[in-house]
Each structure stands twice: as C-alpha cells, then as structure tokens.
C-alpha cells in the first residue's frame, strides 16, 4: 500500500502579501535611487540630450532675452514650437532668475513627470482605497519610457 506524501504548506495570504510588499519596497528603493541619479545628471549636464532639446532651449532663450517666441512669420526660417506657450513662459522665467538654459527646461519636465506620478498614485488610491495598488500604479507609471 502506497502512502502519499503530505502536500507542502501553501503560504497564506499574509505571507504572500508580506513577500509582495518586500519586493515592491525593493523596486521602489531602486526606482527612487535611479530617479535621483537621473535628476543629478539633468542638472549637471551642460549639453542637450536629444535633438529637440536644443530647439526648445533656443525658443525659451528667445523669449527670455527678446520677449518673443517666434521669428518673422513672413520669411523663413519659420518657428515650430513643440510645446505650449506656458512651458516657454515658465522656462524663460527660470532663465531670467539665473538657471542655465538646459537646466530650466529639465526642471520643468522633471516636475511635470513627478506630478503625473503623484496623480497616478492619488487616482488609484481614490478609486481602490488600497495603498499597495496605488504604490504599484505609481511605480508602473514612473517606469514607463513614454512618461
């Protein structure tokens, strides 16, 4: 007569939740460290990271120094502004108070990204009333390259 070995104990919801919280905390620490490193690089770098960044910096510099965002509308080169005038107004204002050209735009973009992550956190918390789900939403939002 053969006997079956007892099944291994299945971790209860408390153990699974504890493990999940530990993993989520580890990812949050890594993500926070990387975000701080990214911010430090943004503020330290003196040259543009992408091709579009120099165009945006030129437009905001024009606004800060000449008071205009656009060249002459009747002759080339025509100005293509990829952001709304509010971005350029904030960027030009930060340049007026002494921030370097590239750093001012990066500070605005970084603050906007943090705002989107916080909004993701609060919206999910509002709808689910679960802090763990809200934290996972914020981490997923922050890890998106589209943000």
């Amino acid at each position: 007569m053969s006997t079956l070995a007892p099944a291994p104990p299945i971790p209860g919801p408390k153990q699974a939740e504890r493990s999940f919280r530990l993993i989520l905390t580890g990812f949050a620490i890594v993500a926070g460290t990387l975000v701080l490193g990214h911010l430090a690089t943004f503020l330290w770098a003196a040259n543009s990271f992408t091709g579009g960044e120099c165009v945006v910096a030129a437009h905001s510099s024009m606004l800060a120094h000449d008071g205009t965002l656009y060249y002459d509308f009747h002759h080339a080169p025509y100005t293509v502004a990829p952001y709304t005038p509010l971005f350029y107004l904030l960027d030009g204002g930060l340049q007026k108070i002494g921030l370097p050209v590239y750093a001012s735009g990066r500070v605005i973009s970084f603050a906007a990204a943090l705002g989107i992550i916080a909004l993701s956190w609060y919206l999910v918390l509002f709808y689910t009333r679960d802090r763990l789900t809200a934290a996972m939403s914020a981490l997923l939002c922050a890890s998106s390259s589209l943000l």
Side-chain angles (χ1 to χ4, degrees):
M1 182 157 145
S2 73
T3 60
L4 295 174
I10 298 173
K14 297 280 186 190
Q15 177 63 31
E17 184 176 340
R18 214 173 307 129
S19 300
F20 187 70
R21 284 180 188 261
L22 184 64
I23 291 169
L24 189 63
T25 303
F27 281 137
I29 290 170
V30 169
T33 305
L34 291 174
V35 164
L36 289 177
H38 200 65
L39 178 63
T41 304
F42 265 10
L43 295 176
W44 169 75
N47 298 318
S48 66
F49 288 135
T50 63
E53 191 176 19
C54 60
V55 175
V56 172
H59 288 129
S60 60
S61 293
M62 282 174 43
L63 185 63
H65 297 296
D66 301 334
T68 182
L69 187 58
Y70 304 105
Y71 296 116
D72 183 16
F73 286 123
H74 303 292
H75 302 93
Y78 301 106
T79 300
V80 177
Y83 294 109
T84 63
L86 182 59
F87 177 85
Y88 293 108
L89 181 67
L90 288 171
D91 198 354
L94 289 175
Q95 287 181 32
K96 283 280 195 184
I97 63 171
L99 234 57
V101 174
Y102 288 118
S104 60
R106 292 171 186 161
V107 165
I108 295 169
S109 295
F110 190 77
L114 287 181
I116 291 169
I117 293 167
L119 182 64
S120 167
W121 166 276
Y122 286 118
L123 279 175
V124 171
L125 189 63
F126 177 75
Y127 283 115
T128 65
R129 305 270 192 251
D130 183 19
R131 289 184 155 311
L132 192 60
T133 306
M136 190 152 97
S137 166
L139 282 173
L140 288 173
C141 183
S143 68
S144 171
S145 63
L146 297 176
L147 181 64

